[in-house]
Amino acid sequence: MSKVKPTVDRWSSRWAFVLAAAGSAIGLGNIWKFPYIAGEYGGGAFVLVYLLCIAVIGVPVMMSEVLIGRRARRSPIAAFEALATDLGRTRRWRWLGLVGLSAGFLVMSFYAVIAGWALAYIPKLASGALVGANPDGVNAAFAALKADPLQLTIWSSLIFIATIAVVAAGVQAGIERSVRWFMPLMFLLLVGLVIFAAVEGDFTAAIKFLFAPNFGQLTIESVLVAMGHAFFTLSLAAGIMLMYGAYLPADTSIPRAVVSVAFFDTLVALLAGLAIFPIVFANDLAPGAGPGLIFQTLPIAFATMPGGQWVGTAFFVMLLLAAFASTISLLEVVTVHLRERLGWSRPRAALGMGFIIWIVSFGTVFSFNIGADWTVFGKTFFELIDYLASNILLPTSGLLMAVFAAWLMRRQDTAEELGLSAQQGAYRLWSLVTRWAVPLLIGCVLIGKISGTI
Ligand code: PHE
C-alpha cells in the first residue's frame, strides 16, 4: 500500500458534496464558454449533442472518478498508487494522477485570470462608467483591461488570495462553508437575470436559438467541441471529483449525487443561455461573437437598457461566485498533494501551491498584452495551456480513469461503491458504457484533436 495515509476529512452530508462538486463544475465554463461556443456553432443542434455528451460520457466518467476517490480516500496520485498496488498492478498508475493534477494546475493558472475579469467588471458596471456607452466605448474598455498587465495582475491576485484563504481553512470550515452560501446566491441571481431577460429581451428568439436544432449546422468539429466541453464543464478528470469523492461519507449514493451534480451543471448552462441570448437578440447583437460574448456583447446591451447598470452588476457578481467555487476546487487538489508529500500544514501548502500557480498565471496575463506575440505553434501562452489542458490532458486522463474503474477494479468493489449489485441493470449499464462507449468516444475526440481537425 501507499505510504500516504487515507484522508480523515469528510463532507458533513451528501448535500455538502453536491454543493461543492456542483460549485466546482459550475463556473466560467457554463456562463462564459458554453453560451459563446453554442453561439459560434449555431445553437440548437450543438446544444443537443452537448446534452448527449453529458449524459453518455460525463455521468459515467464522473461516477468512475468519484468512486475511485472514495475507494482510495486519498489525493489523486496517492489514490492510483494505492489502488493499483492493491490490485497487483504496476505503481506506474500514479502517473495518471499526475496527468489530472497537472491539468488542474494549468487550468487554475488561466482560470484565475479570467475570473479576475469578472471581478474587474463588477466595479466597472456598478460605478455606472459604462452607462450610455456606445459599442466602441464598451469594446475599448475591454481592450484596455486586457492591455494592462498591472490591472490584470491585481484582479487575478485578489482571486488567488481569496482562494488560498478558503482552502487554508479546510474542507468543512473553508470549502463547505463557502459553497453553502455561494451556490444558492449564485442560483438566485441567475434566476433573477433570466426573469429580467424574459421581460426585457427577446425570449422567443433565444429559446428558438438554443432549442430548435438545425442539424445542417452540425459538423464533426462541433461534435468534438461539444464533447471536449462536457469534460471541462463537469470538472472531470482533473482529480477534483476524485478528491471530493475521497471526502464523501461512506453511505452516500454516488450515482444519485453524481446525477444531481450533472443536472445542476446543465441547468445552469442552459439558464445562462436564457439570461444572455434574449438580451443579445433584443439589441440586434450577434450571438457568435466568441469569447467576447459576455465581456463585450452583453455590456453593450447593458449600457443602454433600463436598469442595465444594476442588472449588469448582478450578472458579474453571479459569474464571480460561480468561478470562485471552481478556483477553490482547483487549488484544493494540488494543495492536498503538497501537504501529503511534504507533510506541510494545510495553510502552508495552500499558500505554497497558490504562490507557484500565481507565478505561472503571469504567462496568461502577458498573453493579452506584452506577450501577445510570444507564440508556439501560433498559439499564445494562454491558448497553449488551455489547449493542452482542456483538449489533451483532460480527455486522456478521463479515458484512463474510465478504463481503470471499469476494466481494472474488481466488479464487487465498484458495485459496492456505487451502492448497486453487480447483477443489477443500472450497474451493468454503467459498466458497459464505461468499458466501451466512453473509451471509444473519447478516443475519437483525442485522435480528432491531435490530428488537427480542430
Ligand atoms: N468546470 C469548471 C467550469 O465549468 C472549470 C473546471 C475545469 C474546473 C476543470 C476544474 C477543472 O467553469
Side-chain angles (χ1 to χ4, degrees), residues 24-30 104 107 111 229 231-236 238 240 265 326 329-330 394:
S24 172
I26 297 167
L28 295 167
N30 306 60
V107 169
Y111 204 88
H229 186 64
F231 261 87
F232 186 83
T233 189
L234 291 174
S235 302
L236 285 183
I240 291 172
D265 185 75
S326 303
S329 68
L330 285 160
L394 291 180

Side-chain angles (χ1 to χ4, degrees), residues 250-325:
D251 55 1
T252 302
S253 154
I254 292 179
R256 272 209 283 164
V258 164
V259 169
S260 312
V261 172
F263 171 78
F264 286 126
D265 185 75
T266 310
L267 183 67
V268 168
L270 296 177
L271 287 178
L274 291 177
I276 295 169
F277 289 119
I279 298 183
V280 169
F281 290 128
N283 289 275
D284 285 326
L285 296 162
L293 181 68
I294 66 167
F295 292 106
Q296 288 174 288
T297 314
L298 207 54
I300 290 175
F302 288 144
T304 53
M305 293 183 83
Q309 179 182 351
W310 299 111
V311 177
T313 307
F315 183 88
F316 287 103
V317 170
M318 185 272 296
L319 181 61
L320 179 71
L321 289 172
F324 191 23

